[in-house]
Amino acid sequence: MVPADAAPAASGDAAAARARDAIESGRTALGIEFGSTRIKACLVDADAPSVVLAVGAHEWENSYVDRLWTYPIEEVWSGLQEAYAALAADAQARHGVAPTTVGSLGVSAMMHGYLAFDEAGELLVPFRTWRNTNTGAAARELTDLLGVNIPLRWSIAHLHQAVLDAEPHLPRVRSVTTLAGYVHRRLTGRHVLGVGDASGMFPIDPTTGDYDAELVGRYDRLAAGRIPPLRDLLPEVLSAGEPAGDLTAEGAALLDPSGALRPGATLCPPEGDAGTGMVATASVAPRTGNVSAGTSIFAMVVLERPLAEVHDELDVVTTPAGDPVAMVHCNNGASELAEWAGLFGRFAAASGRPIDPDAVFDTLLTEALTGDDDAGGLLAYNHLAGEPIAGLTEGRPLLVRTPGSRFTLGNLVRAEVYGVFATLALGMRVLAQEGVALDRMLAHGGVFRTAGVAQRFLAGALDAPVSVAHTASEGGAWGIAVLAAYLGARAEGGQDLDTYLRERVFRDIVFETSEPQPEDVAGFAAYLDRYDDGLAVERAAVTALPDTTASADRPTEGSDQ
């Protein structure tokens, strides 16, 4: 696979001519992903999806307004247009031609959350993201009612919390969707979702690939008279490879206000970032898994059999093809690590020797290798937001040490990296107790861009081999572009998604694998035991230190999942 900031893998006049011809003729697939900190666009050769032809991006940040995490809905469109314009300019610079048409297109975004619309399609309340933890009462009631774990971030938990709170917008609600579903609907006019994204709205029946009809009935009886029947609100569910509508003239103008992009491209089902992460790491078959690290961090493990019990730490979603997946999701990922990197970057600039942000990360992560195996007694809590696995409704980032801790730069950075993985490791312990087997774990996200550091520490945290591709930091937008390209491949040959990925996309891609080192395994285990004990300090901080910036905008981190 080709890194997004590099030229196409093939070289020479023939490769250049092929790339130019693919763009001119529209034998391409366009992927767009709305991540936590970047909106990214990625154009690939539809016949060779490992070849990235052009990319573009727009930086954005969530805001904490009225005690809820949100994004301005207007920036969905301004950001999308900026990302696409950057991609078109990149294509022109690399290949001498900008796209006027694409063969297929896909939209992906952060999963879960709440976007509610009236009959006219008007947004009724500001977008509520996955990061909100105000849905505790609804999640508990739904978990008891449905007999499956309904996490705080799921769309049904947000909807039911609005029901419990009798919010004034409810009588006008006529549809509910995710961010990917919203963008897709504006581009095509179709109210649909890919099964992976839909599985984060409401439980999916793996035998039908649709919302579980029995559980839908239970919920309708609970909410009767307060909202319309659930099936009337939720999007239609589609599986990977099924056409999900065509780009309308209005949609093309939303994407490219210059008018250069023509309508007509076929769209694949819109997916969530978890699904694109599975595709971007070829982790859609049973006994495979992946870790995605960005503003949040989560692990996805494709199951061979149903889980034996309901666990608060695990929720069951699906691959884009509809196969059950156990998900360990943590609201807090690498944001706090990025804050520390920004502080050291500012120190360098203030000293008169400014350093590029990527070089700051490289320097700090490399220094972490000099730290003690257990981070010298330091503890780092990365909780900018609430963390359900840790039992926290709010977060307070903390660095904790005792007088006897070894306070070195290497230990500080190692503790912060360990902190990124710590809550995830608590959830993975539950999977191990369920006897879930893994043949391989793949990782992607910006924190893995520095070779051999975060990957090595994650291998130690999971006590399992961890593999990373060279495109680890650009997986999501590329993953949805691959799903868009899969539309044609499935129509032509009927290949299932796993076969398509193995034989057509990843056949020649080499992953770098880090085996767990005994000293890292033992060091992280010692760290995690202290971390678990020290959560009492974190809980006390939430109680003792009120959040005085509840209405302020807050930046998150600088690398997406």
Side-chain angles (χ1 to χ4, degrees), residues 151-176:
L152 304 181
R153 66 188 183 280
W154 276 35
S155 301
I156 188 61
H158 286 272
L159 173 62
H160 190 55
Q161 191 64 51
V163 170
L164 293 180
D165 295 339
E167 293 197 29
H169 74 275
L170 277 179
R172 298 169 56 200
V173 172
R174 294 297 178 269
S175 65
V176 175

Side-chain angles (χ1 to χ4, degrees), residues 22-165:
I23 295 171
E24 287 182 326
S25 63
R27 292 197 322 276
T28 53
L30 173 63
I32 297 163
E33 180 157 88
F34 292 79
S36 298
T37 58
R38 282 192 297 169
I39 301 170
K40 296 179 286 187
C42 178
L43 188 70
V44 303
D45 185 326
D47 297 326
S50 61
V51 177
V52 175
L53 300 172
V55 295
H58 166 78
E59 304 285 337
W60 71 340
E61 297 171 348
N62 57 190
S63 303
Y64 194 54
V65 180
D66 296 330
R67 304 195 68 80
L68 289 172
W69 293 99
T70 187
Y71 292 85
I73 206 68
E74 300 81 7
E75 195 174 356
V76 169
W77 301 109
S78 61
L80 172 61
Q81 291 162 6
E82 182 175 313
Y84 181 78
L87 177 142
D90 188 39
Q92 183 70 48
R94 290 197 203 185
H95 311 291
V97 59
T100 57
T101 184
V102 295
S104 56
L105 196 159
V107 178
S108 173
M110 300 167 279
M111 288 179 67
H112 317 296
Y114 184 68
L115 283 152
F117 301 89
D118 65 12
E119 187 68 36
E122 294 298 317
L123 186 66
L124 294 174
V125 291
F127 171 35
R128 298 172 183 176
T129 79
W130 55 270
R131 201 170 194 179
N132 290 294
T133 55
N134 64 310
T135 56
R140 286 190 297 272
E141 184 172 354
L142 291 173
T143 296
D144 291 341
L145 174 74
L146 304 179
V148 297
N149 181 34
I150 302 297
L152 304 181
R153 66 188 183 280
W154 276 35
S155 301
I156 188 61
H158 286 272
L159 173 62
H160 190 55
Q161 191 64 51
V163 170
L164 293 180
D165 295 339

Side-chain angles (χ1 to χ4, degrees), residues 275-366:
T276 58
M278 286 185 272
V279 170
T281 53
S283 306
V284 298
R287 298 176 65 94
T288 63
N290 76 89
V291 170
S292 177
T295 300
S296 65
I297 184 170
F298 54 87
M300 313 285 293
V301 179
V302 187
L303 299 172
E304 296 180 282
R305 56 170 177 77
L307 297 176
E309 299 178 28
V310 176
H311 301 279
D312 291 341
E313 300 88 350
L314 308 175
D315 48 308
V316 177
V317 291
T318 78
T319 70
D323 296 310
V325 174
M327 185 179 200
V328 180
H329 185 283
C330 308
N331 280 356
N332 299 278
S335 295
E336 182 67 1
L337 176 62
E339 295 278 4
W340 280 97
L343 183 149
F344 283 107
R346 175 57 193 150
F347 172 80
S351 73
R353 299 180 181 181
I355 304 176
D356 177 80
D358 284 345
V360 173
F361 265 103
D362 287 345
T363 301
L364 292 175
L365 289 173
T366 302

